[in-house]
């Protein structure tokens, strides 16, 4: 996750890292640990975005 400060106080540009291959990709779109280092504090822990390019592809599934 790449986080940039802007000229506007409190406004950040957040660019999630994208990990992909021929099956699709996975990306963390929100991660409290990374954002809290930049002053962002919310009760939300983490959010991810995954895409599978073909039907029947199973990517890592996790349960919390």
């Amino acid at each position: 996750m790449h986080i940039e400060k802007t000229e506007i106080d409190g406004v950040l540009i957040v660019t999630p890292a994208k990990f992909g291959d021929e099956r699709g990709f996975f990306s963390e779109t929100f991660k409290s640990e990374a954002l809290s280092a930049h002053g962002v504090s919310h009760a939300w822990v983490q959010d991810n975005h995954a895409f599978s390019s073909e039907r029947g592809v199973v990517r890592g599934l996790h349960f919390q």
Side-chain angles (χ1 to χ4, degrees):
M1 180 174 288
H2 179 72
I3 302 170
E4 295 177 63
K5 291 185 177 182
T6 65
E7 293 180 12
I8 303 170
D9 188 38
V11 176
L12 303 171
I13 298 172
V14 179
T15 306
K18 192 181 272 189
F19 307 95
D21 57 23
E22 67 280 350
R23 300 170 299 159
F25 67 83
F26 173 82
S27 183
E28 291 177 345
T29 55
F30 183 96
K31 188 172 183 181
S32 62
E33 183 180 290
L35 292 170
S36 66
H38 294 275
V40 177
S41 59
H42 292 285
W44 196 265
V45 176
Q46 184 173 329
D47 188 52
N48 306 309
H49 179 195
F51 170 77
S52 296
S53 60
E54 296 181 22
R55 184 181 214 165
V57 171
V58 177
R59 300 186 69 78
L61 300 175
H62 304 274
F63 176 77
Q64 286 183 290

